Amino acid sequence: MKKLFFATALTLGSLSVAIASTPMVYDGIMDEVLVSDFKEIAVADLPSAVTDALEADYAGATVNKAYMNDENIYKLEVTGSDGTTGTLYADAEGNWVSM
């Protein structure tokens, strides 16, 4: 019985090490899930709290595209004053949200 228990524990331990050491492969599936929840809106339709937060925290950045989901989270595709591009998420009150 002790040998069976030891063999089972050894097998499970080896399996968890193999899984943990497997490199993660990016397949873009989560991007599709997140993007599909957002619907594009006009940049002019962004709440002033969101545009004010953008001016305050990312001076000189411009919004290229804006999206909104059912939870009133806004996704902003922006270009910074230095030419870099990125995506920001904010709630309707202008608080930055991590996604």
Side-chain angles (χ1 to χ4, degrees), residues 33-48 50 63 65-77 87-93 97 99:
V33 172
L34 289 175
V35 171
S36 67
D37 290 337
F38 287 87
K39 307 246 185 306
E40 189 169 0
I41 62 170
V43 173
D45 292 339
L46 287 170
S48 59
V50 174
V63 179
K65 288 187 178 183
Y67 305 86
M68 185 178 88
N69 70 8
D70 293 337
E71 298 169 359
N72 290 328
I73 301 295
Y74 295 88
K75 175 184 172 183
L76 312 173
E77 292 181 4
T87 303
L88 299 170
Y89 297 88
D91 63 17
E93 288 80 38
V97 179
M99 297 291 278

Side-chain angles (χ1 to χ4, degrees), residues 5-64:
F5 177 75
F6 181 72
T8 303
L10 185 60
T11 302
L12 290 175
S14 298
L15 181 60
S16 63
V17 169
I19 291 171
S21 64
T22 302
M24 297 299 290
V25 176
Y26 176 75
D27 60 6
I29 291 174
M30 279 308 290
D31 284 348
E32 294 301 319
V33 172
L34 289 175
V35 171
S36 67
D37 290 337
F38 287 87
K39 307 246 185 306
E40 189 169 0
I41 62 170
V43 173
D45 292 339
L46 287 170
S48 59
V50 174
T51 56
D52 291 346
L54 185 69
E55 286 180 28
D57 296 334
Y58 300 94
T62 57
V63 179
N64 302 321

